[in-house]
mmCIF file of all heavy atoms in Angstrom:
data_model
loop_
_atom_site.group_PDB
_atom_site.id
_atom_site.type_symbol
_atom_site.label_atom_id
_atom_site.label_comp_id
_atom_site.label_asym_id
_atom_site.label_seq_id
_atom_site.Cartn_x
_atom_site.Cartn_y
_atom_site.Cartn_z
ATOM 1 N N TYR B 90 98.516 207.179 73.180
ATOM 2 C CA TYR B 90 99.011 205.902 73.751
ATOM 3 C C TYR B 90 98.080 205.504 74.936
ATOM 4 O O TYR B 90 97.990 204.315 75.187
ATOM 5 C CB TYR B 90 100.418 206.110 74.285
ATOM 6 C CG TYR B 90 101.475 206.348 73.259
ATOM 7 C CD1 TYR B 90 102.130 207.544 73.198
ATOM 8 C CD2 TYR B 90 101.795 205.386 72.325
ATOM 9 C CE1 TYR B 90 103.099 207.826 72.225
ATOM 10 C CE2 TYR B 90 102.746 205.638 71.320
ATOM 11 C CZ TYR B 90 103.392 206.873 71.301
ATOM 12 O OH TYR B 90 104.320 207.120 70.348
ATOM 13 N N ARG B 150 100.684 210.501 70.266
ATOM 14 C CA ARG B 150 101.624 210.046 69.279
ATOM 15 C C ARG B 150 102.004 211.136 68.273
ATOM 16 O O ARG B 150 103.093 211.191 67.794
ATOM 17 C CB ARG B 150 100.913 208.883 68.539
ATOM 18 C CG ARG B 150 101.860 208.170 67.577
ATOM 19 C CD ARG B 150 101.222 206.811 67.250
ATOM 20 N NE ARG B 150 101.234 205.864 68.356
ATOM 21 C CZ ARG B 150 100.326 204.906 68.508
ATOM 22 N NH1 ARG B 150 99.272 204.793 67.650
ATOM 23 N NH2 ARG B 150 100.362 204.137 69.556
ATOM 24 N N ILE B 207 108.901 212.030 56.404
ATOM 25 C CA ILE B 207 108.490 210.587 56.640
ATOM 26 C C ILE B 207 107.029 210.392 56.413
ATOM 27 O O ILE B 207 106.496 209.341 56.791
ATOM 28 C CB ILE B 207 108.855 210.209 58.081
ATOM 29 C CG1 ILE B 207 108.200 211.142 59.103
ATOM 30 C CG2 ILE B 207 110.408 210.203 58.276
ATOM 31 C CD1 ILE B 207 108.533 210.785 60.541
ATOM 32 N N ILE B 210 103.166 212.358 60.893
ATOM 33 C CA ILE B 210 103.725 213.128 61.990
ATOM 34 C C ILE B 210 103.653 212.334 63.255
ATOM 35 O O ILE B 210 103.569 212.871 64.314
ATOM 36 C CB ILE B 210 103.002 214.519 62.092
ATOM 37 C CG1 ILE B 210 101.508 214.396 62.263
ATOM 38 C CG2 ILE B 210 103.347 215.354 60.980
ATOM 39 C CD1 ILE B 210 100.831 215.671 62.651
ATOM 40 N N ASP B 211 103.699 211.034 63.135
ATOM 41 C CA ASP B 211 103.782 210.162 64.351
ATOM 42 C C ASP B 211 105.207 210.223 64.864
ATOM 43 O O ASP B 211 106.152 209.919 64.155
ATOM 44 C CB ASP B 211 103.391 208.744 64.032
ATOM 45 C CG ASP B 211 101.904 208.622 63.683
ATOM 46 O OD1 ASP B 211 101.259 209.717 63.669
ATOM 47 O OD2 ASP B 211 101.430 207.523 63.443
ATOM 48 N N THR B 212 105.286 210.471 66.157
ATOM 49 C CA THR B 212 106.650 210.556 66.681
ATOM 50 C C THR B 212 107.251 209.150 66.856
ATOM 51 O O THR B 212 108.390 208.996 67.127
ATOM 52 C CB THR B 212 106.682 211.305 68.056
ATOM 53 O OG1 THR B 212 105.572 210.876 68.779
ATOM 54 C CG2 THR B 212 106.589 212.786 67.810
ATOM 55 N N ASP B 213 106.340 208.114 66.712
ATOM 56 C CA ASP B 213 106.886 206.726 66.709
ATOM 57 C C ASP B 213 107.988 206.583 65.653
ATOM 58 O O ASP B 213 108.920 205.815 65.791
ATOM 59 C CB ASP B 213 105.796 205.764 66.279
ATOM 60 C CG ASP B 213 104.818 205.532 67.376
ATOM 61 O OD1 ASP B 213 104.990 206.185 68.430
ATOM 62 O OD2 ASP B 213 103.892 204.717 67.160
ATOM 63 N N GLN B 214 107.752 207.264 64.515
ATOM 64 C CA GLN B 214 108.671 207.137 63.421
ATOM 65 C C GLN B 214 110.009 207.745 63.700
ATOM 66 O O GLN B 214 110.952 207.512 62.945
ATOM 67 C CB GLN B 214 108.044 207.811 62.193
ATOM 68 C CG GLN B 214 106.641 207.346 61.867
ATOM 69 C CD GLN B 214 106.648 205.996 61.211
ATOM 70 O OE1 GLN B 214 107.511 205.720 60.401
ATOM 71 N NE2 GLN B 214 105.663 205.215 61.522
ATOM 72 N N LEU B 215 110.030 208.627 64.688
ATOM 73 C CA LEU B 215 111.314 209.214 65.025
ATOM 74 C C LEU B 215 111.995 208.418 66.105
ATOM 75 O O LEU B 215 112.045 208.769 67.283
ATOM 76 C CB LEU B 215 111.084 210.660 65.527
ATOM 77 C CG LEU B 215 110.476 211.625 64.552
ATOM 78 C CD1 LEU B 215 110.192 212.995 65.218
ATOM 79 C CD2 LEU B 215 111.394 211.858 63.364
ATOM 80 N N SER B 216 112.593 207.280 65.698
ATOM 81 C CA SER B 216 113.178 206.476 66.718
ATOM 82 C C SER B 216 114.466 205.834 66.165
ATOM 83 O O SER B 216 114.845 204.741 66.541
ATOM 84 C CB SER B 216 112.217 205.393 67.179
ATOM 85 O OG SER B 216 111.812 204.636 66.051
ATOM 86 N N MET B 217 115.128 206.563 65.282
ATOM 87 C CA MET B 217 116.409 206.050 64.736
ATOM 88 C C MET B 217 117.554 206.162 65.746
ATOM 89 O O MET B 217 118.363 205.318 65.803
ATOM 90 C CB MET B 217 116.795 206.846 63.511
ATOM 91 C CG MET B 217 115.796 206.853 62.406
ATOM 92 S SD MET B 217 116.288 205.600 61.218
ATOM 93 C CE MET B 217 118.052 205.893 60.991
#
Side-chain angles (χ1 to χ4, degrees):
Chain B
Y90 294 112
R150 190 165 289 151
I207 59 180
I210 55 171
D211 290 2
T212 44
D213 285 2
Q214 307 282 324
L215 296 175
S216 56
M217 299 264 312

